[in-house]
Amino acid sequence: YAVTLRVGFPTTQFPSRTIRVKVVGALKYEDRHSAVGSGSMMTDYIAKQNDDDNPSYGSIRIVSVSGSDDQETVLFNGLLPRPIHLNHEEDEVEFEIEDSGIKNDVDIHIAEETCCDRFVSITMPKAVPMHGLVLWWDCPIIGFPKIDVSSIQDRNVSNLSLGSAANNTSSSSSSSSNVAKKDAFQKAWDEAHDMFREKMKKKEKQ
């Protein structure tokens, strides 16, 4: 399960070969079911960046590099609202350059300057606090508009969404099951964060 983020850019200003994606805070593959991870880059990132009112679990930055000194032009910069992890035996989050399919036959000169004719497509595998949980994100980046994940028709009633109520069902047994799963998730999430805070306290004493 993953979230895909697509960001458009004009190749007339930023050729595809110059695009780089930099992600900070992604968990190692082996930590994908432990939420905050153990011994990962994410631990240090949270300690430096997080606050109780606006927590984030990493950052993502898209840049275009140019010149012999690899000068960077930032095309996108944002904070992740939930944990993500790397794929198996990978050190970086995967991304692709896609054709937007946009055509502008009215004024090619305007299109050359302003049209986003390519997308940076970034796949972000979702990390969870325990095996078997499925989280539905209400937004891909902090500050983006949020959706009501409970309104998604294809959402399976057995899946859980962080920060949203479980789907209403006509069956009372299904509803009870959803509540129990949500409680189990919340407990696992709280325990993971308690472990993280305790680890940070020990690190500060050292």
Side-chain angles (χ1 to χ4, degrees):
Y1 299 97
V3 172
T4 300
L5 179 68
R6 290 184 174 87
V7 178
F9 67 97
T11 53
T12 52
Q13 299 180 37
F14 308 107
S16 297
R17 67 178 181 277
T18 69
I19 301 300
R20 306 288 185 273
V21 174
K22 301 183 178 183
V23 176
V24 175
L27 292 171
K28 297 178 181 178
Y29 180 78
E30 54 266 30
D31 288 334
R32 66 194 183 281
H33 295 145
S34 60
V36 295
S38 175
S40 66
M41 293 186 298
M42 188 176 182
T43 303
D44 291 333
Y45 184 88
I46 294 176
K48 295 176 182 178
Q49 301 292 332
N50 262 15
D51 60 69
D52 293 335
D53 296 328
N54 191 32
S56 69
Y57 296 88
S59 67
I60 184 167
R61 190 158 61 111
I62 302 173
V63 302
S64 174
V65 298
S66 60
S68 57
D69 57 349
D70 286 342
Q71 182 178 355
E72 294 184 353
T73 300
V74 178
L75 306 183
F76 178 85
N77 193 20
L79 297 176
L80 299 172
R82 308 291 176 219
I84 65 172
H85 69 82
L86 300 172
N87 285 323
H88 186 52
E89 296 183 348
E90 295 288 342
D91 295 326
E92 299 178 350
V93 172
E94 295 181 356
F95 75 94
E96 297 178 342
I97 304 298
E98 299 178 352
D99 191 338
S100 69
I102 295 176
K103 303 293 183 181
N104 191 330
D105 299 327
V106 178
D107 193 331
I108 191 62
H109 300 295
I110 295 178
E112 288 179 353
E113 294 298 325
T114 63
C115 179
C116 292
D117 57 338
R118 294 289 187 279
F119 282 115
V120 184
S121 179
I122 307 160
T123 302
M124 302 182 291
K126 293 185 285 187
V128 293
M130 62 186 294
H131 181 72
L133 290 180
V134 178
L135 300 182
W136 289 80
W137 291 19
D138 54 10
C139 67
I141 297 293
I142 290 178
F144 277 31
K146 295 183 178 182
I147 65 169
D148 179 7
V149 294
S150 64
S151 65
I152 301 175
Q153 294 183 356
D154 292 338
R155 181 179 173 217
N156 191 294
V157 295
S158 64
N159 293 342
L160 300 176
S161 62
L162 187 62
S164 69
N167 279 352
N168 293 324
T169 66
S170 57
S171 169
S172 59
S173 60
S174 296
S175 179
S176 298
S177 176
N178 285 341
V179 171
K181 289 178 181 179
K182 185 179 179 182
D183 290 343
F185 163 76
Q186 188 63 50
K187 182 179 179 181
W189 188 267
D190 291 341
E191 289 176 352
H193 279 274
D194 287 341
M195 292 173 61
F196 167 73
R197 284 191 289 266
E198 188 64 28
K199 186 173 183 177
M200 290 299 99
K201 289 179 181 179
K202 292 181 181 179
K203 189 173 181 179
E204 290 176 358
K205 291 179 180 179
Q206 294 176 353

